[in-house]
Amino acid sequence: MTNTDPVVVVIEDDPAIRLFLRTGLSAHRFKVFEAERGQQGIIEAGVRKPDLIILDLGLPDMDGVEVIKSIRAWSAMPIIILSARSAEQHKIDALDAGADDYLTKPFGLGELLARIRVALRHSASGPAQDEGGMFVTGALKVDLLKRQVFVGDNEVHLTPIQYRLLSLLIKNAGKVLTHQYILKEVWGPSYKDNSHYLRIYMSQLRQKLESDPTQPQYLLTESGVGYRLKA
């Protein structure tokens, strides 16, 4: 372990899961600090200034969503939820409160590590683009300065709303965005309940950008919650 190892604060009341996370993350060169209560976790986050927080929602002293809101009042550090709550509304509430990602227990260490890597890359680089304003994932390339979109060597022409939707996903590449958030950002607050708009435009984007729109590689669905652009 070195001073450059990423710091993670785990806020989780289950000792067995804390042990699993401490052992697994430490083996992958993460420096792990723990808290079993929400208020303790908020203090740890303020003191340790971690690179990432792993948070359970069902804490003994407060709901995890309140922990997210408290941390988001002063920090944009990535927050990944690990929770036994699998209902879609629980996921939506946590993501809308400011969480970056959500995994349902039971979970695999490999998937958690992959989500952590995406969250840390997103946090370090901001929008997933190089210095020339070019976003690239697989064959999909978007020149954000010239507002040009390519799949391989072929330029793809998007409508203004299609491009606005894609730009929002690029700005948050790797992060789950809820239906309500996307609708508010792309169409405006009065459209946040019109999810059929989003389904239509996402289908149009997939037709233009995916080699097989029924098996998307880039524009991924988080069932019942929202969408994620693969980073």
Side-chain angles (χ1 to χ4, degrees):
M1 189 174 293
T2 71
N3 290 334
T4 60
D5 292 338
V7 175
V8 176
V9 167
V10 174
I11 308 174
E12 166 66 65
D13 66 324
D14 187 325
I17 293 179
R18 288 204 310 274
L19 175 60
F20 174 76
L21 291 171
R22 179 171 69 250
T23 303
L25 294 177
S26 297
H28 287 82
R29 304 188 65 82
F30 288 92
K31 192 181 298 183
V32 181
F33 297 93
E34 301 170 35
E36 58 182 315
R37 291 178 174 269
Q39 287 291 353
Q40 180 190 359
I42 293 169
I43 293 170
E44 283 289 306
V47 171
R48 305 295 180 185
K49 300 294 191 296
D51 297 285
L52 182 134
I53 290 174
I54 295 175
L55 172 66
D56 181 25
L57 294 181
L59 299 169
D61 61 333
M62 61 191 300
D63 193 275
V65 170
E66 296 306 314
V67 177
I68 299 169
K69 292 177 180 178
S70 178
I71 292 172
R72 281 290 172 261
W74 57 271
S75 175
M77 64 180 67
I79 300 174
I80 295 180
I81 302 300
L82 288 181
S83 179
R85 299 178 187 175
S86 58
E88 292 171 0
Q89 192 57 50
H90 289 143
K91 298 180 182 181
I92 291 168
D93 290 344
L95 293 164
D96 278 344
D100 294 82
D101 209 341
Y102 195 116
L103 277 177
T104 303
K105 299 175 183 175
F107 61 93
L109 182 62
E111 182 179 7
L112 175 61
L113 288 168
R115 302 285 184 105
I116 288 173
R117 288 191 293 270
V118 169
L120 291 178
R121 284 199 303 269
H122 185 261
S123 175
S125 62
Q129 56 184 286
D130 61 23
E131 293 180 358
M134 182 71 76
F135 170 85
V136 180
T137 179
L140 176 63
K141 295 178 288 186
V142 182
D143 189 327
L144 296 164
L145 299 181
K146 297 180 179 178
R147 298 171 66 92
Q148 292 178 305
V149 180
F150 299 87
V151 176
D153 295 325
N154 300 315
E155 185 172 0
V156 178
H157 297 283
L158 302 182
T159 68
I161 290 182
Q162 289 170 353
Y163 184 81
R164 197 182 312 157
L165 174 57
L166 180 60
S167 297
L168 179 68
L169 292 165
I170 288 172
K171 181 182 177 182
N172 297 278
K175 182 175 178 178
V176 180
L177 301 183
T178 65
H179 298 130
Q180 291 90 335
Y181 178 81
I182 296 173
L183 286 161
K184 179 171 66 71
E185 293 296 313
V186 175
W187 283 272
S190 61
Y191 287 84
K192 65 183 181 64
D193 296 321
N194 294 0
S195 58
H196 62 284
Y197 276 74
L198 184 52
R199 287 195 299 270
I200 291 169
Y201 276 89
M202 188 61 69
S203 175
Q204 292 173 351
L205 271 182
R206 284 174 169 161
Q207 290 291 335
K208 291 185 175 183
L209 303 180
E210 302 280 3
S211 57
D212 181 359
T214 64
Q215 299 289 331
Q217 301 177 53
Y218 311 121
L219 303 169
L220 307 180
T221 297
E222 295 288 335
S223 182
V225 177
Y227 297 96
R228 176 207 308 267
L229 176 63
K230 184 178 179 181

